[in-house]
Amino acid sequence: MRHLLLTIPLIVASLATSAQGKNANIVVPKGTVALHCEFRTGYLSNSTPGTVDIYREPGADWQVMDPFLAYFKKPPQQVEILVDNPKRTTYGWTVKRVSSDANKFATLVNFRLTLIKATRQASIAVQPVGFRSETAWGRCLPLHTF
């Protein structure tokens, strides 16, 4: 199964430039569903990602990729849908063994992203085990199918 960094603006730009030979190696399987969210994180540490992309390739589980995972050179992580009702959807995932430049490490970092369906408003909560948690608010684009 291919793992992709599905930042919708990046994919749109890469598709637009692929005829020129740039980014021609990015392939999104037909039928992939993606959710792109942006959060206001200026006042938070680098642990809370400013953008999050959750996606599902046909026949596969939901995955997530974001700048936090990219910084720590982690592959896309599997996402579990924790709540899905008419008002909201909550996605959850856990990243194991994350170390920082200060040689401190969290054995687990729990992420929860909640999307309010009617307004597209969203929040992301980041809780590194043994450290303080952070929450940021933002918005998500509608689900996009490629």
Side-chain angles (χ1 to χ4, degrees):
M1 179 166 98
R2 287 169 277 185
H3 296 293
L4 303 172
L5 174 60
L6 286 182
T7 302
I8 291 174
L10 173 64
I11 290 172
V12 171
S14 68
L15 293 175
T17 60
S18 64
Q20 300 168 351
K22 296 179 183 177
N23 298 321
N25 61 340
I26 297 175
V27 177
V28 179
K30 185 176 181 172
T32 297
V33 177
L35 176 68
H36 176 76
C37 302
E38 295 184 0
F39 299 97
R40 295 176 299 280
T41 60
Y43 58 93
L44 299 172
S45 74
N46 292 331
S47 299
T48 302
T51 60
V52 174
D53 293 292
I54 298 176
Y55 64 94
R56 184 182 66 206
E57 294 177 355
D61 293 328
W62 286 97
Q63 301 283 311
V64 64
M65 193 62 199
D66 59 46
F68 177 88
L69 294 169
Y71 177 81
F72 289 107
K73 297 178 176 70
K74 296 285 188 179
Q77 303 292 303
Q78 185 169 337
V79 172
E80 182 180 351
I81 296 177
L82 303 172
V83 174
D84 191 16
N85 62 40
K87 292 184 178 184
R88 70 180 48 91
T89 303
T90 300
Y91 303 89
W93 63 97
T94 300
V95 181
K96 296 178 182 175
R97 299 209 41 94
V98 176
S99 60
S100 73
D101 292 338
N103 295 324
K104 296 180 181 176
F105 73 94
T107 55
L108 295 172
V109 182
N110 296 310
F111 291 82
R112 299 295 176 264
L113 186 153
T114 299
L115 169 67
I116 305 302
K117 294 178 179 180
T119 63
R120 310 298 306 161
Q121 292 178 330
S123 65
I124 186 166
V126 180
Q127 183 182 14
V129 174
F131 297 88
R132 69 179 178 88
S133 62
E134 296 180 344
T135 302
W137 290 266
R139 297 186 62 80
C140 296
L141 296 175
L143 281 174
H144 182 79
T145 301
F146 292 90

